[in-house]
Amino acid sequence: MTSRVIAALACGAVLLGGCSAPAQQAPSASSGAVRVTSCGMPLTFAERPQRVVTLDQTSTETLLALGLADRMAGTSNLKTRVAPQFAADYRRVKVLSPGLLTSEQLRAANPDFVVASFADQFTRDRVGTREELHELGVPTFVSAVDCPTGDDSPFDRLHQDYRTLGRIFGVTERAEQLIAEQQKAIGKARSLRARNRPTVLWLYSVFNDVPYVAGGIGIPAAMSEILGVRNAFDDVGQQWPEVSWEQIAAREPDVIVVGDLSERGAPGDSAEEKIAQIRQHPVMSRLDAVRHNRFVTVSGIELDPSVRSHNALAEVAQALADMPALAGDTSR
């Protein structure tokens, strides 16, 4: 961490008047600097980052998967238990906050790079905007999943993240290895494609008796295409729209995938609670999927785009392949 950036953060992260950050010196063209773009913002790195702070669990686990624990100055915003394969490395990294990070906590960590999965982590009432942090000499990264272009899938955009971060940190071989591992899992799931295209409901959470389900633009929509199933709410152009139980029942899902968020701790977060609520609902309980116990439980965090999403894909693919033939005509 350079003294210039420390001083800039100390005086400017809260953007108080009367204190200006020193001007940045751009690396020369011959310096071997790494130049990339993150969600439309150009970034230049004269040196590999050494003190990275992550603003959410997804970005934390991505860096751990790339073998970058020793470059991390802190993590924050843990939603659930870190995946077992990352646990040992995670214990080496300081937890700056169990929840959302504040600008003061970020400033105290003296970062030289800040990584997040979603652009809305960078707001004035959190750690500051991306523009503010860049003016202070601290580059920021947002996952390509949060700023899609063209027709590429969320899995493609995750792989783009790995390649970009691999270039920034000089771990391109590890990034390509990670991509190859995930592409293999995706290929295996695709080989198990459902023959009769059943309708699948992807249930993420239930809050105040309101279900939140997968719409047509999130990672479950991409999983549905890979698995050869129909996403029950694929026609809704949102990632996690709120719907009613009656709307779900009207779409007659053949299978219900339930996200388990039990470690988050809110009422109704566990898969068991959601399934029990469905069984007790006067309309939902009549569905064939419920009466025939066609539920698949996966980790809730894996239904958001992350380095772990291919795990949920594999679990659902295998569960569908192992289910007895679905009753009735599912080609509607």
Side-chain angles (χ1 to χ4, degrees), residues 188-196 224-229 317:
K188 182 176 180 180
R190 196 178 292 276
S191 72
L192 297 173
R193 283 173 66 88
R195 290 182 299 237
N196 51 5
S224 296
E225 186 280 325
I226 291 168
L227 297 171
V229 304

Side-chain angles (χ1 to χ4, degrees), residues 215-272:
I217 61 174
I219 199 82
M223 292 182 183
S224 296
E225 186 280 325
I226 291 168
L227 297 171
V229 304
R230 180 183 289 105
N231 173 10
F233 286 89
D234 197 43
D235 59 324
V236 180
Q238 301 174 42
Q239 290 194 42
W240 295 110
E242 65 174 65
V243 297
S244 68
W245 294 116
E246 288 73 19
Q247 286 175 303
I248 292 173
R251 303 212 174 193
E252 300 183 61
D254 301 297
V255 179
I256 301 175
V257 177
V258 183
D260 184 25
L261 296 166
S262 54
E263 292 168 13
R264 191 170 69 173
D269 266 352
S270 74
E272 291 79 7

Side-chain angles (χ1 to χ4, degrees), residues 129-263:
T129 67
R130 297 186 75 192
E131 292 75 13
E132 290 167 354
L133 290 170
H134 285 218
E135 287 176 5
L136 299 171
V138 184
T140 63
F141 179 92
V142 173
S143 170
V145 176
D146 205 34
C147 47
T149 57
D151 297 327
D152 52 342
S153 78
F155 285 105
D156 293 330
R157 296 193 288 273
L158 283 170
H159 297 167
Q160 178 184 331
D161 285 347
Y162 308 154
R163 287 195 171 99
T164 302
L165 291 167
R167 288 188 59 207
I168 292 170
F169 287 98
V171 292
T172 54
E173 288 186 9
R174 176 61 192 129
E176 292 302 325
Q177 179 184 350
L178 181 61
I179 292 167
E181 292 168 356
Q182 296 197 357
Q183 286 178 332
K184 182 177 180 180
I186 292 169
K188 182 176 180 180
R190 196 178 292 276
S191 72
L192 297 173
R193 283 173 66 88
R195 290 182 299 237
N196 51 5
R197 204 171 179 227
T199 297
V200 174
L201 173 76
W202 304 81
L203 176 64
Y204 185 75
S205 64
V206 180
F207 183 71
N208 289 337
D209 200 34
V210 176
Y212 289 79
V213 302
I217 61 174
I219 199 82
M223 292 182 183
S224 296
E225 186 280 325
I226 291 168
L227 297 171
V229 304
R230 180 183 289 105
N231 173 10
F233 286 89
D234 197 43
D235 59 324
V236 180
Q238 301 174 42
Q239 290 194 42
W240 295 110
E242 65 174 65
V243 297
S244 68
W245 294 116
E246 288 73 19
Q247 286 175 303
I248 292 173
R251 303 212 174 193
E252 300 183 61
D254 301 297
V255 179
I256 301 175
V257 177
V258 183
D260 184 25
L261 296 166
S262 54
E263 292 168 13

